[in-house]
Amino acid sequence: MNGLIRLEVLRVLRNRKFQFFNVLYPSLLFLLIAGTADSTEPLDGTGGLTLPAYLMVSMASFGALTAVLMGNSERIAKERENGWVRQLRLTPLPGRGYVLAKTAAAAVGALPAIVLVFVVAAVVKDVRLDAWQWLALTAAIWAGSLVFAALGVAIGYAATGDAVRPITMIVCFGLSLLGGLWMPATTFPGWLQDVAAWLPTHAYAALGRAIERHHAPGVQDLTVLLAFFVLFTGGAAWLYRKDTLKA
């Protein structure tokens, strides 16, 4: 199993398309949106955060989200279709080993995206935090991405190789937009703000923003993330068993 994990990690790191979209793209979006923003003026409805500080967490979360969600779903769906998963079932590798290898590789790919957004925000937009905040932000966003890694596994086992990309794109960008990663949820109509508050992406980014404001994570946000993690993990496990029986 360790050999498969190393192989999957190397595949991710050597994939130039992956490196651009999942590592560079969030940082480029940050620069595009926050490029001319005031680095000292607090943004309304953010608890005193500036636009660059708010967007830094948003884009780091978005980068980790796309890395684990799109990476897992597309690879699993295509490897199921081309018979690679079926071949692995003939080896002593346990089924959970395959899923663990995919999740580990996606998590490794998510970390550079998070760190690069932080570096760009600090260097270009002068975002300043204490050392413990930078470490806590990195750990929180990286750990929180496991919720969406589980969703990626579920989509990978539910979708065909042809359909997986559009499905994942819709899910990824839909959750990002409605969860307030692209713009503050406080700008939404009231009813949409109520919906956003219960989405995993909204809770995910809220963890990072709480750290920026020197606050403890909200109980509702932790509860929402935990509930969706259980839901996505359970769905992935059920779809995996269904796929195994079908084979």
Side-chain angles (χ1 to χ4, degrees), residues 87-155:
Q87 289 295 320
L88 286 177
R89 290 198 183 108
L90 301 177
T91 71
L93 178 74
R96 65 180 181 277
Y98 173 76
V99 174
L100 178 61
K102 292 297 182 186
T103 303
V108 170
L111 186 58
I114 298 170
V115 173
L116 185 57
V117 170
F118 289 170
V119 170
V120 170
V123 173
V124 179
K125 298 304 297 180
D126 200 34
V127 175
R128 292 291 178 262
L129 299 173
D130 295 334
W132 73 266
Q133 288 177 292
W134 289 116
L135 293 174
L137 271 177
T138 303
I141 295 175
W142 198 20
S145 68
L146 293 177
V147 176
F148 306 99
L151 176 58
V153 173
I155 294 175

